[in-house]
Amino acid sequence: MKTTFLAAALLCSMAAPVAAQTAADPVIMTIAGKPVPRSEFEYSFNKNNADGVIDKKTVEEYVPLFVNYKMKVQAALDEHMDTLSSFLQEFRQYRDEQLRPSYVTDGDVEREARKVYEQEKSRLGGKDLVRPAHIFLQLRQDATQQAQDAARQRIDSIREALRQGADFAEMVKLSDDKRSAARGGELGWVGPGSLYKEMEDGIYPLSVGQVSEPVLSPAGWHIFKMLERKQLEPFEQLKDNIVKAIERQGVRDYIARQKIDSLVKATEGMTQAQLMDQRAEELSAQDDDMRYLIQEYHDGLLFYEISNREVWDKAQKDTVGLEQWFKKHRKQYKWDEPRFKGIAYHTREAADVEAVKQCVKKLPFKEWGERLRLTFNADTTQGIRIRVEKGIFRQGDNALVDSIVFKKDTLTKAVKNYPYDDVYGKKLKKPEEWTDVSGQVVSDLQEELERQWVARLRERYTYTVDKQVLGTVNKH
């Protein structure tokens, strides 16, 4: 089974050379000994230079980016990352999401829509659909006799007012159902089984425009007005709306899964995974876009994993390397204005203002947050003693810092129950350690690791580009 899956997973890299032998899809370049057909390069170029892309590239500018990408994927293949169970699971999950819709036709969806229609028709049992409005007075089932009598008296008075000519739309403002009251009391289209039986018994005998006598349901008292009633329309008249509704609910995926389950049961000895492998192979042979979409995710996963290992995650976790990088390139990290590195805090007790400072005075900045939490806020049963905001602040980031550190005439807002405010830290003209500009330092180190990695890949793998074929991209 594993061998079968790997064959399908690597379908694109196997199928591409076959396509590349045709005159209609010539080889545009060869990377690490593997030919790349023009159609594959075009798919990638067009997708990454579509409308809305800010940094669009020319075909010539895109070539080195594409070559680097393919070399990174090849490096991942050489490391056998495509055999890892985590990779296989994630790749198959995405691939199957693209394949499942191919099992579903519009006819399948229409048949499902007709099932929904027939179920609704059966539920109605020949009765009308009705569109009532109501005035509702809520009454708990455990209400006292006094509350019951008061509710009955109130609903009777509303009914009497309506009998005397009061406008239903005005009286509905007295309803406890505020949501429907905002719509004039309208409950929408309903049918049998949608409401309490007592409500339906009070609604269905009404003709259009007629107002009911008070009706008691398990929820409370109602007075209904019939706004409209109709027979269920023919299926063809409702089909489009039903289809749209069930598609929003994921009916295509449901149908696909049902079909796939049936096919697996009907095929002795074939697993669902093998069935989907076969489907991927069939569709990839028929449709270049599907073939390259599957390859895009397959290679994209490998690209992400190896880039994370060689560059992204490697730089973020290498604190020693980050510190060395910062020391070596310290001059390039500057601020256009001073920063305040410290905390702005609020306390319940006056004594804690100084206690906070003493708590962190001799600690590295990165340890302040945890030490303050353990010292002042660990015992939540006693309440939170202090509120703290820690960071590297510039003017405008924090009103308290602006007022105390940057001496700005800034209105600070008091924190409820924390009447004592202060700041602690130091004002810096430039970064003093790499963590002060961690985002920029990490990014710069990643960029350097990327440059070194690409250089190694260019030494490891060879590539050639057919400039004549390159000149025909999107022009054939």
Side-chain angles (χ1 to χ4, degrees):
M1 175 178 165
K2 185 173 181 180
T3 303
T4 304
F5 173 71
L6 288 177
L10 296 175
L11 172 66
C12 301
S13 58
M14 294 167 60
V18 175
Q21 303 309 308
T22 69
D25 193 14
V27 172
I28 195 169
M29 62 185 72
T30 301
I31 304 173
K34 295 182 179 179
V36 178
R38 180 178 59 193
S39 60
E40 179 185 349
F41 179 84
E42 284 180 333
Y43 175 89
S44 179
F45 173 77
N46 292 333
K47 189 161 188 177
N48 286 284
N49 289 276
D51 292 342
V53 174
I54 297 175
D55 186 21
K56 288 189 177 182
K57 304 293 184 183
T58 65
V59 171
E60 290 74 17
E61 290 171 336
Y62 191 69
V63 168
L65 301 178
F66 183 81
V67 170
N68 290 345
Y69 174 79
K70 296 291 284 186
M71 286 183 175
K72 291 172 184 177
V73 172
Q74 186 59 49
L77 291 171
D78 290 345
E79 295 289 334
H80 305 292
M81 288 185 174
D82 57 323
T83 65
L84 298 174
S85 59
S86 58
F87 168 83
L88 296 176
Q89 182 178 359
E90 188 172 359
F91 168 67
R92 175 172 282 159
Q93 180 178 350
Y94 175 82
R95 183 204 62 180
D96 291 356
E97 286 178 2
Q98 312 312 308
L99 297 178
R100 279 195 293 271
S102 69
Y103 285 94
V104 184
T105 67
D106 290 342
D108 294 329
V109 177
E110 183 173 329
R111 280 189 289 274
E112 201 65 31
R114 185 173 286 280
K115 287 181 185 178
V116 172
Y117 176 83
E118 293 299 332
Q119 290 170 357
E120 178 65 9
K121 185 176 179 181
S122 175
R123 187 179 70 83
L124 290 174
K127 288 187 175 182
D128 286 347
L129 286 167
V130 295
R131 187 167 69 90
H134 77 158
I135 299 169
F136 172 63
L137 298 183
Q138 187 174 21
L139 181 64
R140 294 169 56 92
Q141 291 188 357
D142 60 353
T144 64
Q145 187 62 49
Q146 181 180 4
Q148 293 180 44
D149 293 343
R152 180 57 196 258
Q153 183 177 2
R154 188 176 174 213
I155 199 72
D156 285 343
S157 66
I158 293 173
R159 184 62 184 93
E160 182 59 28
L162 292 169
R163 194 176 289 112
Q164 295 297 323
D167 184 21
F168 190 91
E170 284 297 316
M171 300 304 292
V172 82
K173 294 177 181 178
L174 301 173
S175 177
D176 290 336
D177 182 357
K178 300 304 179 185
R179 180 175 296 182
S180 69
R183 304 188 301 269
E186 183 180 341
L187 295 173
W189 287 103
V190 296
S194 301
L195 304 170
Y196 287 121
K197 180 180 182 304
E198 294 85 350
M199 295 174 69
E200 291 184 12
D201 290 345
I203 293 170
Y204 267 91
L206 301 176
S207 57
V208 175
Q210 187 177 0
V211 177
S212 74
E213 293 300 315
V215 173
L216 180 63
S217 80
W221 286 100
H222 313 258
I223 296 174
F224 297 105
K225 181 178 181 179
M226 180 63 71
L227 302 177
E228 194 176 357
R229 60 191 307 156
K230 64 180 180 180
Q231 284 285 310
L232 182 66
E233 295 91 335
F235 172 70
E236 290 301 323
Q237 190 173 336
L238 298 176
K239 181 179 72 174
D240 289 346
N241 287 338
I242 298 175
V243 167
K244 288 178 182 177
I246 62 178
E247 284 193 331
R248 284 196 300 269
Q249 297 168 3
V251 69
R252 286 184 178 271
D253 192 63
Y254 168 78
I255 294 171
R257 291 179 185 276
Q258 294 295 313
K259 280 192 169 185
I260 291 168
D261 287 345
S262 296
L263 286 170
V264 171
K265 291 176 182 177
T267 309
E268 292 185 7
M270 179 175 282
T271 66
Q272 180 172 311
Q274 291 170 328
L275 180 70
M276 299 304 285
D277 291 344
Q278 187 180 75
R279 187 67 166 181
E281 187 173 355
E282 293 170 355
L283 293 179
S284 294
Q286 299 167 9
D287 182 357
D288 280 349
D289 283 345
M290 176 60 75
R291 173 159 57 104
Y292 290 136
L293 179 63
I294 294 174
Q295 179 178 346
E296 180 183 2
Y297 197 76
H298 173 271
D299 291 356
L301 277 174
L302 292 175
F303 171 83
Y304 176 84
E305 288 300 327
I306 197 165
S307 296
N308 201 41
R309 189 184 74 179
E310 296 291 333
V311 176
W312 304 329
D313 200 43
K314 182 177 181 180
Q316 289 180 336
K317 292 181 177 179
D318 185 9
T319 55
V320 173
L322 289 165
E323 186 173 358
Q324 291 174 345
W325 176 270
F326 175 76
K327 289 179 178 179
K328 185 176 180 181
H329 303 88
R330 183 187 295 270
K331 290 182 178 180
Q332 74 184 48
Y333 298 104
K334 301 177 181 178
W335 290 324
D336 54 358
E337 57 183 0
R339 302 287 196 271
F340 174 70
K341 182 178 181 179
I343 55 175
Y345 62 100
H346 316 272
T347 71
R348 288 182 179 273
E349 304 294 337
D352 280 343
V353 173
E354 182 61 28
V356 165
K357 298 175 182 179
Q358 294 301 319
C359 177
V360 299
K361 189 174 182 179
K362 297 181 180 181
L363 293 177
F365 185 64
K366 64 182 180 180
E367 298 178 13
W368 286 16
E370 182 65 8
R371 178 60 63 87
L372 290 171
R373 185 189 70 81
L374 293 173
T375 303
F376 296 96
N377 293 339
D379 185 4
T380 56
T381 60
Q382 301 298 317
I384 303 298
R385 287 171 59 185
I386 64 172
R387 299 283 185 184
V388 182
E389 185 176 352
K390 173 179 175 284
I392 297 177
F393 305 88
R394 57 184 170 184
Q395 289 186 36
D397 287 347
N398 183 283
L400 190 59
V401 172
D402 286 350
S403 175
I404 298 176
V405 178
F406 296 117
K407 310 302 181 183
K408 297 295 181 180
D409 186 13
T410 304
L411 181 63
T412 58
K413 186 177 180 181
V415 178
K416 186 178 180 181
N417 298 325
Y418 296 86
Y420 306 98
D421 306 313
D422 207 347
V423 300
Y424 182 69
K426 55 185 172 181
K427 191 174 179 181
L428 302 176
K429 291 184 178 181
K430 58 184 180 180
E432 62 178 4
E433 54 186 340
W434 78 267
T435 53
D436 296 341
V437 281
S438 58
Q440 188 177 350
V441 174
V442 169
S443 177
D444 290 345
L445 182 56
Q446 287 175 337
E447 187 175 330
E448 175 61 18
L449 291 176
E450 169 79 10
R451 186 192 65 78
Q452 294 175 3
W453 184 32
V454 169
R456 293 196 302 272
L457 291 173
R458 292 294 183 115
E459 291 179 358
R460 179 178 178 183
Y461 301 115
T462 60
Y463 77 97
T464 58
V465 179
D466 189 324
K467 293 186 177 180
Q468 185 174 354
V469 176
L470 188 68
T472 66
V473 169
N474 291 333
K475 297 177 183 178
H476 53 91

